[in-house]
Every structure is written in structure tokens, then in C-alpha cells.
Amino acid sequence: MTKIRAAITGVGGYVPDYILTNDELSRMVDTSDEWIMTRIGIKERRILKGEGKGTSDMGAEAVKQLLAKTKTKPEEIDLIICGVVTPDMVFPATANIIADKTDIRNAFGFDLNAGCSSFLYALATASKYVESGSYKKVIVVGADKMSAIVDYTDRATCPIFGDGAAAVLVEPTTDENCIIDSILQSDGVGRIHLHQKAGGSAKPPTHETIDAREHYVYQEGQPVFKWAVSKMADVSVEMMEKHHITPESLTWLVPHQANMRIIDATANRMGINKEQVMINIQRFGNTTSATLPLCLWEWENKLRKGDNIILAAFGAGFTWGSLYLKWAYDGDKI
Ligand code: UT7
């Protein structure tokens, strides 16, 4: 019997209109465009404004676009997985809220939180559901409203993050142009360097936790940087070696957009040129779960059937991983 594989068959995306520039940030905290560009490589990021607006509002926009582009009816969707670190609420899952806002009524859904690796983990998970033969149309969303948990008085973290969402459709194929392999890893020892101190069950929210600003991202930049550089490169090189992918035969690296220096180090270790790397960190910053699908969304019309693509991520947990796929369609025909 022919093996059922899983392929990405469409991409939708959404970024909010409001642009927070380095110049505006420099008026909020003691920083400068020069420092942010040199140390991180971000020029501007998008911020979701509006009372009551949450991650699901961006996710729903991305899903609506995905359904329209792929001419898929909401009732055809079997499963929706949302990779997210900033859910609308602690419960229910943001995937369920997105499904409701997009009229997806015949699907089951859940959130997956693996820090900045959430989309990668969710895509690998979706591929297994499709390969099982039980599910035919699976949506994977990567969405985060990081501005909800960023402390805009902390210059060490506030330049890094932005808001955004993107989604892919995953469907069965018997073609070789499909999701081929994933390597996912984690090490909880890293949690001390990157977390949110309060608001969870270990430290429920109180007036004191609010006053201590413990509901914001806490990050020790240097250890996170060191881990990210080595793990993201290791796991990407491991994927190349495992599948005999040479620098010349790799069409695209889609790296998590956390820091331009981490992206450069990963590309160098893989022996590839900058022209082979999708980079939009300058305009969107680190959108956490949304970085990888936002790249696919922006580059879609350049992608060709059979392109060799490696996705790579690193995030809170620590979590990291890489996923190898052969692109399934000519992006300019969409
Ligand atoms: O996506 C999840 C995974 N996260 C990551 O991958 C992030 C990894 N870490 C990083 O990208 C970097 O560590 C940061 C961008 C967070 C920080 O860059 P860094 O080169 O590691 O800077 P640093 O924390 O070592 O700080 C260097 C100096 C310090 O001043 P002193 O002590 O040398 O006088 C900081 O106080 O830069 C200062 N500094 C700033 N100066 C101007 C820190 N933030 C700023 C700022 N503007 N925004």
C-alpha cells in the first residue's frame, strides 16, 4: 500500500497595522536604533492595538485568508492546532476560539505551547495526524500577541518582540513533495533563563505579583543566546547529514527570527549563503510562534514544487528542533 504523507498546501498570514519603530522605542526606554540593529537586527515590529483584541483575532484573520486562498470550506477542516505562548485566556484553548471566529465547526482543536518552537512542534504533530490516514485537512496556526506580556519599561526585552499570526493547511499526499522528517528536542533545565514568573498555578496572580511586574517575559539574554546558537545550528546540521542535503541542494532555511546574529551563526554552520535564508526579523521582530509561518507566507510566491526546505527553531523550555520538507506546489500559481 502506498504510504500516506503530509504536505503543506497553502499559507495565510496576518500582521497588525501598527508599526512600533526603534525610534519610538528609544523614547520609551534608554536604547537606540543603532544598539538594536547591531545587537538584534530589528528595525520595527507590529503591535496589535484595540480593547479586548487577543491572539485569536490575528489567528482568525490568518485562517480566513488561508481558507479563501485554498478554496477550502470551514466545515471541511478536521483539526486545528494553534502553536501559541500568549493564549487569549488560560482556558479555553485559543485554537477553539479561532475555530469559532472562522466558522470551523466539524473539527477538534487544541493549543500547543513549546515556546518559540511551538509552530515547529505543531506542524510535526499535524503531519502525524495526516499520515495516520484519519485526518485530511489540518490547519496549523502560529500566533502570538507578545505585546501582552512584554514589559515596555525593560530595555533588555522590549525591543525584541512583536505580534503576528500565520497558518498553513496540511493535507495528505502520496507524492514525494511532502513533510519528510522532524527532529524535536527539549531540556527543561533551560526554564530558569526564560519564563513568566507569575500568573500560572505555581504562582497565581496577586496584587503583589502585578506590582513586581512578574507577568512579563523574564529573559537572561546571554545564556539563551548561547543555547540558541548551538542547538539551532546542531539540529539543522544533523538534519542535513541525515538526509544527505548539501548546502547547494538546500533551497531555503526558514529559521526562527529571534536575533540576526543567531540566524547568521546557524546559516554559517550549515554552510549556506544568506540568499538561501528567509529573513524578515527587520520588519516583524520575534513574533514567537508566528515567525516560521510568517516567513512561508511572505516567501510563498517564490517557492517552487520540490524545493528543499529546512525549518529550524529554538525557544523557551528550552525547546528546539528542525523539520525537513519538500515544498508541494508552485507558490506563484496561488
Ligand atoms: O526567541 C526565544 C529565544 N530568545 C532568544 O533567542 C534571545 C537570545 N538573546 C539575545 O538575542 C541577546 O542576548 C539579547 C538581544 C537579548 C541581548 O543582547 P546581548 O548582546 O546579549 O546584550 P547583553 O544582555 O549582554 O547586554 C550588553 C549591554 C549591557 O550593558 P553593560 O552591562 O555592558 O553596560 C546591557 O545593559 O547592553 C545593554 N543593553 C542595552 N543597551 C541599549 C541591553 N539592552 C539594551 C538596549 N539598548 N535595548
Side-chain angles (χ1 to χ4, degrees):
M1 215 173 86
T2 320
K3 195 171 181 302
I4 300 171
R5 314 294 294 270
I8 293 177
T9 54
V11 194
Y14 174 82
V15 287
D17 293 335
Y18 190 86
I19 298 173
L20 176 58
T21 63
N22 287 349
D23 289 338
E24 186 178 350
L25 269 179
S26 307
R27 294 192 291 275
M28 295 157 69
V29 290
D30 182 14
T31 190
S32 64
D33 177 58
E34 204 253 326
W35 191 94
I36 300 170
M37 281 305 288
T38 315
R39 309 302 296 176
I40 320 177
I42 299 172
K43 195 80 188 161
E44 57 191 41
R45 64 292 286 147
R46 300 299 178 103
I47 303 294
L48 181 66
K49 300 272 186 184
E51 190 71 29
K53 294 270 183 211
T55 298
S56 72
D57 293 290
M58 297 185 293
E61 289 304 318
V63 169
K64 279 182 206 162
Q65 189 188 80
L66 175 68
L67 293 172
K69 278 171 71 177
T70 56
K71 301 183 178 56
T72 307
K73 295 192 187 79
E75 57 268 27
E76 292 178 77
I77 301 301
D78 300 311
L79 165 62
I80 175 165
I81 308 175
C82 183
V84 62
V85 170
T86 54
D88 280 24
M89 304 173 184
V90 174
F91 68 91
T94 301
N96 302 141
I97 304 173
I98 294 172
D100 182 47
K101 289 180 176 172
T102 54
D103 274 333
I104 293 175
R105 308 269 165 222
N106 298 328
F108 74 106
F110 58 88
D111 288 355
L112 194 158
N113 179 347
C116 293
S117 309
S118 295
F119 178 81
L120 193 79
Y121 275 42
L123 181 59
T125 305
S127 72
K128 303 299 172 200
Y129 276 103
V130 171
E131 287 164 12
S132 77
S134 304
Y135 303 95
K136 297 210 162 32
K137 289 189 190 285
V138 179
I139 288 180
V140 183
V141 186
D144 268 304
K145 183 188 170 187
M146 292 305 292
S147 61
I149 58 164
V150 165
D151 183 351
Y152 287 97
T153 67
D154 175 14
R155 71 174 183 170
T157 53
C158 72
I160 301 172
F161 297 100
D163 302 339
V168 298
L169 183 62
V170 182
E171 293 185 272
T173 181
T174 48
D175 206 283
E176 60 168 8
N177 298 312
C178 61
I179 295 169
I180 292 168
D181 196 10
S182 58
I183 305 171
L184 307 179
Q185 296 181 321
S186 61
D187 189 340
V189 76
R191 71 189 185 283
I192 55 169
H193 303 300
L194 181 53
H195 57 261
Q196 181 180 315
K197 291 189 182 300
S201 62
K203 201 170 192 187
T206 62
H207 290 292
E208 288 71 30
T209 61
I210 299 283
D211 289 344
R213 310 183 81 77
E214 289 180 340
H215 300 264
Y216 294 121
V217 173
Y218 171 83
Q219 175 168 260
E220 293 160 10
Q222 285 188 8
V224 179
F225 185 91
K226 282 189 195 135
W227 273 73
V229 163
S230 75
K231 295 299 183 188
M232 214 162 92
D234 284 352
V235 80
S236 304
V237 170
E238 185 184 340
M239 187 64 90
M240 289 177 82
E241 288 172 355
K242 191 174 169 191
H243 293 277
H244 311 291
I245 305 165
T246 61
E248 296 72 32
S249 63
L250 184 73
T251 324
W252 293 106
L253 167 69
V254 190
H256 175 49
Q257 313 279 311
N259 186 314
M260 199 57 226
R261 290 182 289 145
I262 299 174
I263 296 173
D264 284 343
T266 305
N268 283 341
R269 278 276 308 283
M270 295 169 77
I272 59 173
N273 300 317
K274 208 115 180 230
E275 294 69 44
Q276 292 164 277
V277 188
M278 294 187 193
I279 302 169
N280 57 16
I281 188 173
Q282 312 89 323
R283 287 175 296 115
F284 297 153
N286 181 350
T287 53
T288 301
S289 309
T291 58
L292 300 181
L294 277 176
C295 283
L296 295 176
W297 177 56
E298 287 214 304
W299 266 261
E300 185 188 26
N301 63 6
K302 290 198 178 76
L303 299 178
R304 296 289 169 274
K305 193 171 184 169
D307 279 356
N308 275 319
I309 302 179
I310 289 181
L311 281 66
F314 180 89
F318 292 136
T319 58
W320 63 98
S322 62
L323 184 145
Y324 169 42
L325 60 84
K326 281 183 180 288
W327 195 250
Y329 59 94
D330 291 331
D332 59 344
K333 306 262 161 61
I334 297 297

